[in-house]
């Protein structure tokens, strides 16, 4: 990047947003990713009037711990907007946070959307971004953004397979010549894994834990395969005993969490198998050579690459910055808009 480009980047307000179910990342043209915060908004409700109290990291700390007058909301569900007004407030807040100046030229914003999003869901995202102050709102399919962010040569005439496991959805796609040959979006992701852990502990241990605890268990000892010793590492967790209603502490092992996560992991494996069965033979041959690339926060689940390798027999690798791949790819689409304009939709 030349000095002039860097200088121009300082004054550019165009940005790319990875509006995720769990986290929102903002990439500013010429400057890279400069914001990564949870997709949560906390409101203070008084006499039926809502006032924004906190957004992002501060609001996430309030999840599951709020009094009656405060509500913490996650406006994104399964990769799309579930609460229109809250999403708009969140996007506005993040735009203001990125541009510390209160007055700035209206930015052009590119947002990634799940491949399976309906036209209505796409319109809601576009409308939210425009209402939050964008000059123009473009949409890019999440699998394309993830593959670009992972550094895959998607513009070549060869088959590339990417599996992007986000908070709300898993996108499985085969790409060639810069576009999608086959894609499937399943509504299984990090959130579904958390729910699986919560329901497993309720069933097997009579212990009720919240979403925050379930997420901590998943990131600390979560694994997609049964540990070799049948137990694995363990951790202490606290929750409410459902038998007598009092708080208690128990120990959970990796083997138990592997059992809890078996169903969502199997659904991801099945989606990959279906994609491989549907891929044209020549592209399938390329995928045997190149293997499968995992991106997204869910790719960090322990041994998920090994579980997929066992099912498919293919080489499976995890992208270097798997958490940021979609945001980086959306940012690159903004930087190299001319070359990738076929992938960006400005007017649906």
């Amino acid at each position: 990047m030349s000095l002039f480009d860097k200088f121009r980047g300082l004054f550019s307000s165009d940005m790319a947003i990875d509006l995720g179910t769990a986290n929102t990342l903002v990439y500013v043209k010429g400057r890279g990713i400069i914001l990564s915060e949870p997709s949560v908004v906390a409101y203070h409700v008084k006499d039926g009037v809502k006032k924004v109290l906190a957004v992002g990291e501060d609001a996430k700390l309030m999840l599951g711990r709020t009094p009656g007058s405060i509500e913490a909301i996650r406006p994104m569900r399964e990769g799309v907007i579930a609460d229109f007004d809250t999403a708009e407030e969140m996007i506005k807040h993040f735009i203001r946070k990125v541009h510390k100046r209160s007055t700035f030229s209206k930015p052009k914003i590119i947002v990634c959307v799940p491949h399976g999003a309906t036209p209505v869901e796409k319109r809601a995202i576009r409308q939210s971004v425009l209402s939050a102050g964008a000059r123009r709102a473009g949409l890019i399919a999440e699998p394309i953004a993830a593959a670009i962010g992972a550094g895959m040569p998607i513009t070549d005439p060869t088959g590339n397979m990417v599996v992007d496991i986000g908070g709300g959805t898993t996108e499985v796609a085969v790409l060639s010549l810069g576009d999608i040959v086959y894609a499937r979006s399943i509504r299984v992701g990090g959130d579904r894994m958390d729910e699986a852990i919560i329901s497993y502990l309720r069933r097997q241990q009579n212990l009720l834990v919240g979403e925050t605890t379930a997420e901590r268990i998943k990131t600390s000892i979560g694994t997609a395969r049964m540990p070799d010793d049948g137990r694995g590492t363990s951790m202490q967790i606290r929750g409410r005993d459902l038998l007598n209603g009092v708080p208690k502490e128990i120990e959970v092992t990796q083997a138990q969490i592997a059992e809890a996560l078996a169903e969502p992991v199997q659904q991801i494996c099945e989606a990959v198998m279906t994609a491989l069965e549907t891929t044209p033979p020549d592209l399938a041959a390329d995928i045997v050579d190149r293997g499968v690339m995992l991106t997204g926060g869910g790719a960090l689940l322990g041994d998920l690459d090994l579980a997929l390798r066992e099912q498919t027999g293919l080489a499976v690798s995890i992208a270097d910055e798997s958490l940021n791949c979609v945001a980086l790819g959306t940012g690159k689409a903004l930087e190299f808009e001319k070359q990738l304009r076929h992938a960006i939709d400005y007017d649906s």
Side-chain angles (χ1 to χ4, degrees):
M1 191 184 284
S2 72
L3 195 64
F4 174 70
D5 285 342
K6 281 186 180 171
F7 183 72
R8 195 177 57 185
L10 291 174
F11 297 97
S12 165
S13 60
D14 292 350
M15 58 179 84
I17 300 179
D18 171 11
L19 204 56
T21 308
N23 297 293
T24 295
L25 287 85
V26 178
Y27 178 111
V28 174
K29 194 171 183 178
R31 290 165 64 193
I33 295 173
I34 61 172
L35 182 136
S36 171
E37 294 216 20
S39 306
V40 187
V41 180
Y43 283 109
H44 186 274
V45 186
K46 191 178 181 185
D47 304 328
V49 179
K50 282 180 167 185
K51 191 177 169 200
V52 176
L53 190 65
V55 180
E57 204 66 64
D58 298 336
K60 189 183 182 184
L61 295 172
M62 300 179 189
L63 272 178
R65 294 187 168 96
T66 55
S69 59
I70 295 172
E71 52 178 321
I73 300 169
R74 292 177 62 182
M76 307 295 295
R77 276 269 168 249
E78 296 174 339
V80 292
I81 292 176
D83 186 322
F84 190 85
D85 296 332
T86 308
E88 198 180 304
E89 283 294 341
M90 184 177 79
I91 297 165
K92 267 185 195 159
H93 174 87
F94 289 147
I95 291 174
R96 277 200 299 268
K97 198 164 178 179
V98 166
H99 291 280
K100 297 194 169 55
R101 309 187 288 279
S102 55
T103 54
F104 60 90
S105 57
K106 285 192 160 192
K108 175 168 66 184
I109 296 179
I110 297 178
V111 186
C112 61
V113 290
H115 177 74
T118 64
V120 173
E121 288 167 338
K122 287 181 182 175
R123 203 158 46 243
I125 289 177
R126 189 190 301 281
Q127 202 50 54
S128 272
V129 171
L130 290 169
S131 305
R135 172 177 88 247
R136 232 177 142 203
L139 305 179
I140 183 169
E142 216 164 284
I144 295 179
I148 296 169
M152 296 172 83
I154 64 160
T155 50
D156 295 356
T158 51
N160 295 279
M161 187 177 208
V162 65
V163 181
D164 178 50
I165 307 161
T169 56
T170 292
E171 312 265 324
V172 182
V174 177
L175 305 146
S176 177
L177 292 168
D179 216 340
I180 293 171
V181 177
Y182 168 92
R184 183 159 173 238
S185 180
I186 58 166
R187 306 231 156 171
V188 175
D191 286 355
R192 191 63 63 83
M193 292 177 191
D194 294 345
E195 284 164 23
I197 291 171
I198 291 170
S199 61
Y200 176 86
L201 291 171
R202 186 191 289 135
R203 262 191 342 264
Q204 302 289 340
Q205 304 284 338
N206 289 316
L207 188 80
L208 188 62
V209 297
E211 284 178 22
T212 313
T213 304
E215 190 183 359
R216 204 176 75 245
I217 296 167
K218 178 185 71 184
T219 52
S220 304
I221 61 168
T223 178
R225 284 166 81 247
M226 195 55 77
D228 295 334
D229 65 357
R231 188 175 187 279
T233 56
S234 62
M235 71 181 283
Q236 297 291 326
I237 59 156
R238 299 181 187 94
R240 191 172 82 226
D241 189 334
L242 288 169
L243 296 177
N244 57 23
V246 298
K248 77 165 182 181
E249 185 176 59
I250 65 162
E251 183 184 55
V252 290
T253 65
Q254 252 181 331
Q256 289 172 316
I257 302 309
E259 198 181 320
L261 295 175
E263 192 186 340
V265 167
Q266 189 53 38
Q267 286 173 307
I268 292 168
C269 291
E270 279 167 13
V272 173
M273 293 301 286
T274 309
L276 291 166
E277 284 162 20
T278 327
T279 304
D282 286 343
L283 292 178
D286 293 336
I287 293 166
V288 171
D289 277 351
R290 293 167 175 269
V292 177
M293 179 68 80
L294 296 184
T295 67
L300 302 174
L301 180 71
D303 285 346
L304 182 60
D305 52 336
L306 294 178
L308 273 169
R309 199 173 298 164
E310 282 167 7
Q311 290 248 1
T312 60
L314 297 171
V316 179
S317 49
I318 300 169
D320 289 343
E321 287 190 66
S322 61
L323 266 173
N324 301 338
C325 273
V326 173
L328 287 169
T330 312
K332 278 185 187 163
L334 184 68
E335 304 269 8
F336 302 103
E337 205 174 331
K338 281 198 176 83
Q339 295 94 311
L340 293 162
R341 69 172 166 263
H342 64 278
I344 304 166
D345 168 18
Y346 275 113
D347 41 32
S348 64

